[in-house]
Amino acid sequence: PLHLGVTEAGEGEDGRMKSAIGIGTLLADGVGDTIRVSLTEDPEFEYEPCNRLAEMAEGRLAINPEAGERQANTKSYVDTRDI
């Protein structure tokens, strides 16, 4: 599996934007199997942006056949979020 993440992206909106841009552009192309958002805040603030990126990636794979094909060729997606 290919893991995507931006380590210590910052805090607040700045950190969320860096994560969204860094991880989101790759997910939009169907690249990546797992993601991790790492903010310079308490860990509980990482869940929401990470879950939102996963939801956006699922939607993008549904409407982008090329991205969906790349993802299907690497490994099937299994949602392991427990929050």
Side-chain angles (χ1 to χ4, degrees):
L2 180 62
H3 176 75
L4 305 175
V6 177
T7 302
E8 292 292 323
E11 59 185 48
E13 276 306 301
D14 187 50
R16 286 161 181 75
M17 288 291 270
K18 289 177 186 175
S19 292
I21 292 167
I23 299 169
T25 53
L26 294 170
L27 289 175
D29 285 335
V31 176
D33 297 304
T34 64
I35 59 174
R36 167 89 197 291
V37 172
S38 176
L39 302 172
T40 313
E41 300 180 51
D42 290 331
E44 62 265 16
F45 294 111
E46 298 172 348
Y47 299 129
E48 184 180 339
C50 190
N51 285 337
R52 182 70 181 124
L53 281 168
E55 290 166 0
M56 291 170 63
E58 286 178 321
R60 181 69 177 181
L61 289 175
I63 63 170
N64 184 340
E66 291 177 10
E69 186 176 324
R70 278 192 297 277
Q71 183 67 26
N73 287 334
T74 57
K75 182 181 175 183
S76 62
Y77 176 76
V78 176
D79 187 348
T80 59
R81 294 174 285 171
D82 59 356
I83 293 177

